[in-house]
Amino acid sequence: MITSYFPKCVALLAICVLCVGALDTFIAAVYEHAVLLPNRTETPVSKEEALLLMNKNIDVLENAVQLAARQVLSFLTLAGILQRKFETWKERGYLEFVKDCFARTCFEQGAHIIVTPEDGIYGWVFTRETIYPYLEDIPDPEVNWIPCTDPQRFGYTPVQQRLSCLAKDNSIYVVANIGDKKPCNASDPQCPPDGRYQYNTDVVFDSEGRLVARYHKYNLFMGEDQFNVPKKPEVVTFDTIFGRFGIFTCFDILFHDPAVTLVKDFHVDTIVFPTAWMNVLPHLSAIEFHSAWAVGMGVNFLAANIHHPHKRMTGSGIYAPDSPRAFHYDMKTKEGKLLISRLNSSSYDPGVVNWASYASSIKAFSTGNQEFKSTAFFDEFTFLELTRVTGNYTVCQKELCCHLSYKMSEKKPDEVYALGAFDGLHIAEGSYYLQICTLLKCKTPNLRTCGDAVESASTRFEMFSLSGTFGTQYVFPEVLLSDSQLAPGEFQVSSDGRLFSVKPPSGPVLTVTLFGRLYEKDWILKASSDLRAQAPGVMLVVIALSVCSFSCDKRIC
């Protein structure tokens, strides 16, 4: 009887398959990993020693993958369940049978995809020579390869084999960051002297263990001398039944290519983002900026960061374009953290925002307060102190004017807030043109500390509305509360370019910021003689910072 009835089971299984053929929502996971670092050495370790360390880190990642996917049922498993339960279900009739399939099986699912951090498998304490034993030859995904079942096809690839098996055995997409090596010779004029290219590389394995994406990081951060820059930016996407995905790494997020191109030209729904991000307040804390990028670009954003509080590395999240779904920021413990949340699969259309519309339509607010200069992350802002409990302020720098309306619950005598504007080329730890309007807490009542890193506050705001005369469509709205907490559902962006509270923020405010990028000006002004004349004094400070921050590991993003 089972044999004669089983075709009905197969048909109903097909209905289940069709019902999830294109998912409206999916479950995403990111894992913030406390990476096990290699011992510092000037000479390369053996491949065996390198693999031993990488396997220790993958052991930890495996636990996270299994936890994220522990309820995932592959269709093969589903078929087996249907066959075993058929005797129990066959008397109920087709409608009850399908209802049971939907309610108990088709939708019993854990995460569809998990993202792990940049440098999460071997760390970052390397020179070009010492990282070599950790690298593998990663082929183009067009080769249609499942390393788990064919591990020797492209030589010695134990890390890819293990990642592939993790994805296959748990029926989940796995995003990881490893190193790629590609031989070259004298026929290539750009070939490095050691005869190989080395790339900081993201890989994606689908739920069958197949390599479906490979991305070589284009915007290397200072200190990543162990890797080469690809000859041109790679725009990498992969399609799933739960949407189109794009991928890039850490420092890439601050530049047009490939980050903006993926959204604007290739119309991805979700970005997967392995990162090793060191938090820089007041405007470039991981959860602060990554959640803002999701809002500004109108996409889902899955950010997996390293967990290394000693280097200010923490901050991972699952961000939707309308609000964060889950985030983690922890400077106190040494443990990793798994985040899981459901997201919509399709693209979000927030409507067109004219970021300069409102600010250009109103007159500057006159307060009589004296403007002052102070620096935030080595950029000289023009500030106005907020001297009253409630008020309207305008501050300008070059082409940018920032307007703020606000109301505090009370004005605390030991806390100072200021409205700041910056319009210029940032040249510390990278070169990129910014326009920023920011309401921020100063570190102390001394106005010279406005722009310094501040982690806590006690002043609560009843409302705020911030806008600016931006010369770009790429503006990222940030709201960061005391103790580096986000404010989901507590603010919105209007079509005329205002960032405003919809309810009193749930905690004291650290910063409310509109972070604008003028990509087209990155290189024009970098080459200007005026900038070169101003640069030496700034660069001395940057060099001092670099020695202080990176002499131990030469790595943050």
Side-chain angles (χ1 to χ4, degrees):
M1 293 296 291
I2 293 179
T3 302
S4 62
Y5 279 94
F6 191 67
K8 298 176 183 177
C9 180
V10 173
L12 291 168
L13 170 62
I15 295 174
C16 279
V17 171
L18 288 174
C19 82
V20 294
L23 301 180
D24 293 329
T25 66
F26 70 102
I27 300 174
V30 302
Y31 183 62
E32 181 163 308
H33 175 42
V35 62
L36 302 172
L37 297 173
N39 294 324
R40 187 176 303 278
T41 176
E42 297 299 322
T43 59
V45 300
S46 66
K47 286 186 177 181
E48 291 74 20
E49 289 179 270
L51 183 59
L52 180 64
L53 174 73
M54 291 190 286
N55 274 328
K56 288 180 179 179
N57 278 301
I58 297 175
D59 287 343
V60 179
L61 299 180
E62 181 175 17
N63 290 333
V65 170
Q66 291 174 343
L67 185 59
R70 61 185 176 181
Q71 295 181 12
V72 172
L73 298 175
S74 68
F75 290 136
L76 181 61
T77 303
L78 176 57
I81 292 173
L82 289 175
Q83 186 172 9
R84 289 194 300 273
K85 292 185 177 180
F86 184 76
E87 284 295 334
T88 303
W89 289 346
K90 67 179 181 180
E91 302 298 331
R92 302 183 188 177
Y94 287 148
L95 292 179
E96 286 298 313
F97 182 73
V98 172
K99 180 180 177 181
D100 205 316
C101 169
F102 284 3
R104 299 192 183 185
T105 307
C106 282
F107 299 150
E108 287 180 2
Q109 185 136 23
H112 296 83
I113 186 169
I114 184 169
V115 185
T116 63
E118 180 186 23
D119 297 337
I121 290 178
Y122 47 60
W124 56 84
V125 188
F126 296 110
T127 65
R128 181 173 179 84
E129 292 73 27
T130 59
I131 201 172
Y132 184 68
Y134 297 83
L135 308 181
E136 294 184 0
D137 185 359
I138 305 172
D140 190 309
E142 291 184 358
V143 299
N144 190 25
W145 180 43
I146 301 178
C148 186
T149 58
D150 190 7
Q152 302 300 322
R153 182 177 171 189
F154 294 98
Y156 183 70
T157 56
V159 173
Q160 292 174 82
Q161 178 187 0
R162 190 163 180 201
L163 293 172
S164 170
C165 291
L166 274 181
K168 180 176 181 294
D169 294 346
N170 293 282
S171 299
I172 187 173
Y173 279 72
V174 173
V175 182
N177 177 263
I178 56 179
D180 189 11
K181 59 182 179 181
K182 290 290 180 282
C184 57
N185 54 46
S187 64
D188 178 358
Q190 299 181 38
C191 181
D194 55 16
R196 62 180 183 267
Y197 290 104
Q198 300 180 173
Y199 298 115
N200 179 332
T201 308
D202 298 328
V203 291
V204 183
F205 296 93
D206 71 10
S207 56
E208 296 179 347
R210 180 176 289 102
L211 178 67
V212 294
R214 179 196 68 186
Y215 168 69
H216 295 140
K217 183 179 180 182
Y218 185 69
N219 297 287
L220 298 179
F221 191 74
M222 57 185 298
E224 284 191 271
D225 299 330
Q226 67 270 39
F227 293 121
N228 297 105
V229 177
K231 294 180 180 178
K232 60 180 181 179
E234 300 172 354
V235 180
V236 175
T237 65
F238 58 99
D239 293 307
T240 74
I241 63 170
F242 45 93
R244 167 166 278 197
F245 285 69
I247 187 167
F248 55 83
T249 313
C250 208
F251 202 42
D252 285 325
I253 195 174
L254 284 166
F255 300 92
H256 188 276
D257 295 322
V260 174
T261 299
L262 279 166
V263 178
K264 294 300 183 182
D265 297 337
F266 288 80
H267 310 293
V268 299
D269 306 301
T270 302
I271 294 293
V272 291
F273 183 69
T275 186
W277 190 281
M278 181 182 286
N279 293 300
V280 180
L281 292 168
H283 303 131
L284 286 173
S285 180
I287 61 172
E288 172 189 31
F289 186 65
H290 302 160
S291 61
W293 203 90
V295 174
M297 297 304 296
V299 292
N300 298 321
F301 197 84
L302 312 183
N305 199 4
I306 289 289
H307 188 76
H308 198 300
H310 180 67
K311 291 295 179 186
R312 303 197 305 279
M313 289 180 175
T314 182
S316 301
I318 299 172
Y319 309 113
D322 58 342
S323 183
R325 294 292 187 264
F327 63 92
H328 177 69
Y329 179 92
D330 173 21
M331 288 289 291
K332 297 179 181 179
T333 70
K334 297 182 179 180
E335 290 75 32
K337 179 69 174 181
L338 177 67
L339 301 175
I340 302 176
S341 188
R342 185 178 293 275
L343 291 167
N344 291 327
S345 301
S346 59
S347 296
Y348 172 81
D349 183 9
V352 177
V353 176
N354 183 337
W355 288 102
S357 177
Y358 177 79
S360 300
S361 68
I362 63 173
K363 294 182 179 180
F365 300 125
S366 177
T367 63
N369 289 16
Q370 183 68 40
E371 292 181 355
F372 64 95
K373 305 289 187 181
S374 190
T375 59
F377 195 30
F378 304 103
D379 297 323
E380 187 177 68
F381 280 66
T382 303
F383 282 107
L384 278 176
E385 181 185 357
L386 309 188
T387 57
R388 300 190 296 269
V389 173
T390 185
N392 301 294
Y393 288 78
T394 297
V395 66
C396 299
Q397 187 179 105
K398 298 181 182 176
E399 302 298 318
L400 177 66
C401 285
C402 304
H403 304 296
L404 172 69
S405 298
Y406 73 94
K407 181 180 181 181
M408 300 175 183
S409 298
E410 63 175 317
K411 182 77 171 66
K412 295 184 177 295
D414 60 339
E415 292 194 333
V416 170
Y417 284 79
L419 172 65
F422 176 74
D423 184 354
L425 187 71
H426 175 88
I427 60 172
E429 301 178 5
S431 176
Y432 39 92
Y433 199 98
L434 302 174
Q435 286 186 330
I436 297 176
C437 292
T438 184
L439 157 67
L440 54 75
K441 181 198 170 189
C442 305
K443 188 172 184 178
T444 73
N446 186 332
L447 297 183
R448 289 178 296 180
T449 68
C450 295
D452 289 356
V454 181
E455 297 183 353
S456 63
S458 57
T459 298
R460 292 180 176 270
F461 282 70
E462 294 292 325
M463 60 80 63
F464 60 79
S465 177
L466 180 67
S467 62
T469 56
F470 290 94
T472 177
Q473 62 176 309
Y474 300 110
V475 180
F476 308 108
E478 304 177 343
V479 176
L480 191 66
L481 305 181
S482 184
D483 300 320
S484 291
Q485 295 299 300
L486 299 180
E490 297 177 11
F491 65 90
Q492 291 181 1
V493 173
S494 62
S495 60
D496 60 3
R498 286 171 292 152
L499 168 59
F500 63 94
S501 56
V502 296
K503 62 175 75 171
S506 55
V509 169
L510 288 183
T511 178
V512 175
T513 301
L514 291 170
F515 188 102
R517 280 287 284 117
L518 279 72
Y519 302 107
E520 67 277 10
K521 289 191 174 184
D522 286 359
W523 301 109
I524 296 174
L525 290 187
K526 184 181 178 183
S528 73
S529 58
D530 289 343
L531 177 64
R532 285 198 299 269
Q534 298 171 10
V538 176
M539 289 309 297
L540 285 174
V541 178
V542 175
I543 291 170
L545 172 74
S546 301
V547 171
C548 176
S549 298
F550 310 122
S551 59
C552 293
D553 54 40
K554 302 170 71 175
R555 181 74 179 90
I556 70 161
C557 193

